[in-house]
Amino acid sequence: MMNPVAGKTRLHVVDALRGFALVSIMLLHNLEHFDVYFLPPHLPEWLLSLDKKIWDSLFFLFAGKSYGIFALLFGLTFYIQLNSRMEKGEDFRGRFAWRLVLLLFFGAINSMFYQGDILTIYALVGFLIIPLAKLSDRALLYIAIILLLQPLEWWNVIHGLQLDPGVKLSDPASWTYFGRMDEYIKGSSFLATVKGNLLNGKLACVFWSWENGRFFHILSLFIFGMLTGRKKLFADSPENKRFWTKTLMVSAISFAVLYVVKENAASFIKSEAVLRPFTTIETSWTNISFMTVLIAGFYLLYQTAALHRALDVFSAIGRMSLSNYILQSVLGSTLYYGFGFALYQYTGATFSLVIGILLAILLGILSTYWAKGHKRGPLEELWFRATWFDKKK
């Protein structure tokens, strides 16, 4: 969630892609009532039907994909900052480690309002890319692919094959913590909500991310992001257009095959001990393949005269991604949680989507207005100043 600048040439397509990812995440958060899963009673059948179509469509398009776009761009930005300082004869790795400490602080603030915060996880996993920064492209590619393959889950598959097919697994650890959410999220006490989010909710998020292979894929995408930076794949060039066109075709075909396997896995794998880790592997691969479709498609459309201006509306939001990510958590929790307006009781997916779109428009207006008089967003400026506190930059 850092803004990439290469020399004096800003990668505007990256700003727009980051803004697009942020908006799509915010729409999903609104559908989920920011983790308050509740279906309002007495909704008419036609609205329930529309709610289901909206829910299924948006989760098909963005769930498990948008966070991946952020992870890829996180790695890209790390490379750009590292390379920029290297050209000046400086080693940025220590400074980047301090930036991650600061990001943990921002993540803790965000977690007070929304327990599903991703900043803290990005910050913790981010420390692992620091020792990898000087490795060769080939070494980085091998490491990224190994992580992408989900080695731990394959070990669980092998272990599951040795068990009786009828064995029943215990519930994932995250379920216990998620089951306690209603005690504080639906309550009227803001302080109880903050305490619950920081303690119980944070554990729920970490366990869920581990159980679903997110840590392996986040690190893998960080590395792939570094490689896209080294290869300058987001620059506007004929070679990159050909690369992303081929990537779009391959990832679309891969997604189609993987999606069919995902939808039918339960019919040919009868052992729960095998099915659960296999589903984690297959779902993560399916999401990554469709994420690549979104990235490649966005890049190619952004370069066209017809859609460049339309997609560039996301740029202002993307340039202030840290500020906007935390702001949407504050606004969302206030709208849906018990300490605020408790709209979770009244809004299904359709109305929540409308609210999400209105919030996205609001963020776009605020970001555009702020950008006219400031180089960075408010939290981005704070992050920048705290990063370079010992220098006059």
Side-chain angles (χ1 to χ4, degrees):
M1 288 192 174
M2 295 173 285
N3 296 329
V5 180
K8 294 183 179 180
T9 304
R10 190 175 189 96
L11 297 175
H12 294 287
V13 64
V14 172
D15 288 331
L17 181 58
R18 182 183 285 106
F20 169 77
L22 178 60
V23 169
S24 62
I25 286 174
M26 187 168 64
L27 295 181
L28 293 184
H29 287 173
N30 274 271
L31 262 62
E32 297 173 313
H33 300 146
F34 285 76
D35 277 357
V36 187
Y37 295 96
F38 181 84
L39 181 63
H42 312 307
L43 294 179
E45 286 298 323
W46 67 268
L47 187 55
L48 288 173
S49 177
L50 181 58
D51 282 349
K52 186 177 186 309
K53 290 177 182 178
I54 289 176
W55 180 284
D56 291 344
S57 298
L58 264 69
F59 273 82
F60 173 84
L61 289 171
F62 303 126
K65 295 91 172 175
S66 298
Y67 94 93
I69 296 176
F70 268 129
L72 185 84
L73 299 184
F74 187 99
L76 167 65
T77 302
F78 169 62
Y79 163 76
I80 291 175
Q81 293 179 325
L82 181 72
N83 187 62
S84 175
R85 305 313 298 188
M86 188 183 303
E87 291 176 350
K88 298 179 180 180
E90 301 178 22
D91 188 343
F92 185 70
R93 288 175 294 179
R95 189 79 60 173
F96 181 74
W98 172 238
R99 281 180 67 82
L100 293 176
V101 173
L102 295 172
L103 187 60
L104 272 173
F105 172 74
F106 286 120
I109 294 175
N110 193 55
S111 297
M112 292 168 58
F113 296 91
Y114 175 56
Q115 62 186 14
D117 163 73
I118 196 65
L119 299 179
T120 49
I121 292 177
Y122 278 14
L124 292 173
V125 178
F127 284 101
L128 299 178
I129 64 173
I130 297 176
L132 305 178
K134 297 297 182 70
L135 295 181
S136 67
D137 291 353
R138 179 174 295 184
L140 287 176
L141 181 62
Y142 288 158
I143 294 172
I145 290 175
I146 290 172
L147 293 168
L148 192 68
L149 292 175
Q150 295 283 6
L152 179 61
E153 296 305 324
W154 279 114
W155 172 262
N156 290 334
V157 167
I158 294 171
H159 176 69
L161 289 170
Q162 302 171 15
L163 301 177
D164 186 292
V167 67
K168 295 296 182 182
L169 301 182
S170 58
D171 291 336
S174 61
W175 289 17
T176 299
Y177 296 96
F178 281 126
R180 300 170 184 162
M181 288 164 36
D182 286 359
E183 298 173 8
Y184 51 89
I185 286 185
K186 293 182 180 180
S188 60
S189 171
F190 173 71
L191 292 179
T193 299
V194 170
K195 180 181 178 181
N197 282 342
L198 289 176
L199 300 178
N200 179 79
K202 199 71 259 175
L203 288 174
C205 181
V206 169
F207 276 119
W208 184 89
S209 297
W210 177 259
E211 292 159 357
N212 287 274
R214 287 287 179 92
F215 286 98
F216 285 90
H217 268 189
I218 288 173
L219 182 55
S220 176
L221 289 168
F222 283 177
I223 296 172
F224 277 120
M226 291 169 57
L227 290 171
T228 63
R230 290 185 178 186
K231 300 299 182 181
K232 297 179 172 59
L233 294 178
F234 283 103
D236 183 4
S237 70
E239 294 79 14
N240 283 345
K241 289 177 183 177
R242 287 193 292 269
F243 169 82
W244 287 113
T245 299
K246 293 178 181 177
T247 300
L248 178 62
M249 296 172 60
V250 172
S251 56
I253 294 172
S254 300
F255 169 75
V257 174
L258 289 167
Y259 185 77
V260 171
V261 175
K262 173 178 173 289
E263 292 298 297
N264 294 279
S267 64
F268 60 84
I269 300 178
K270 302 303 181 182
S271 169
E272 183 184 358
V274 176
L275 179 61
R276 183 182 292 183
F278 179 81
T279 300
T280 299
I281 296 167
E282 217 287 332
T283 299
S284 63
W285 289 358
T286 303
N287 288 339
I288 294 299
S289 62
F290 196 77
M291 178 208 75
T292 310
V293 170
L294 292 176
I295 294 174
F298 192 96
Y299 173 89
L300 293 170
L301 292 175
Y302 189 85
Q303 309 304 329
T304 65
L307 292 176
H308 174 86
R309 189 170 182 178
L311 294 178
D312 201 50
V313 299
F314 293 106
S315 293
I317 296 176
R319 285 194 295 271
M320 291 175 46
S321 56
L322 176 63
S323 298
N324 285 323
Y325 183 74
I326 294 180
L327 179 58
Q328 60 100 26
S329 296
V330 174
L331 294 175
S333 60
T334 302
L335 287 173
Y336 293 106
Y337 289 5
F339 72 80
F341 294 95
L343 291 185
Y344 76 88
Q345 302 176 83
Y346 315 107
T347 57
T350 304
F351 289 123
S352 295
L353 175 60
V354 172
I355 293 173
I357 293 173
L358 291 175
L359 289 178
I361 294 173
L362 174 62
L363 293 187
I365 294 173
L366 293 175
S367 299
T368 302
Y369 174 78
W370 184 271
K372 291 179 180 179
H374 303 83
K375 186 176 180 180
R376 304 176 186 87
L379 295 185
E380 284 77 6
E381 182 65 29
L382 180 60
W383 198 10
F384 177 82
R385 290 179 179 273
T387 298
W388 302 99
F389 67 95
D390 59 336
K391 294 187 178 183
K392 294 182 179 180
K393 293 284 182 180

